[in-house]
Amino acid sequence: MKKPRIALFAGDPAGIGPELVQKLLQNEEHASKAQISLIGQRGTMDVPAGVHWVDWPGLNLPAFERGMAAASNGRYMLEGLALGASMVHSGAA
């Protein structure tokens, strides 16, 4: 049976989203049930080898200051969410 492809957005790198996504992906039982296309900032998470990082403008941005909100965080969030929605709309996820 073919696994579903899921677009997973890790959220604001200055928040707790990346920590929660990393925890989820490190649980083999959860991570093995789907093909994951991860939308996030590469330096914020340690994820298993089978996870596919989506190549997008936010992938290699410099680290955001933890716990601090800024306009750049908002732009990052809107772009990541729009990309995930676009992937679903196009059938890529």
Side-chain angles (χ1 to χ4, degrees):
M1 183 167 93
K2 187 176 178 181
K3 294 180 188 178
R5 175 162 301 277
I6 296 175
L8 178 59
F9 180 45
D12 187 343
I16 64 167
E19 293 174 42
L20 297 175
V21 168
Q22 177 177 306
K23 218 172 203 181
L24 172 78
L25 294 175
Q26 288 178 341
N27 180 321
E28 274 189 44
E29 183 181 344
H30 295 120
S32 67
K33 293 184 180 184
Q35 296 176 43
I36 309 280
S37 291
L38 183 58
I39 302 167
Q41 189 180 40
R42 193 184 306 267
T44 61
M45 292 174 281
D46 181 27
V47 298
V51 174
H52 166 74
W53 285 95
V54 174
D55 186 16
W56 72 295
L59 180 62
N60 294 309
L61 284 177
F64 290 173
E65 187 174 349
R66 302 280 298 159
M68 297 298 295
S72 57
N73 301 60
R75 279 189 299 277
Y76 177 94
M77 292 295 295
L78 290 172
E79 290 173 11
L81 290 168
L83 175 57
S86 174
M87 290 175 70
V88 170
H89 182 71
S90 73

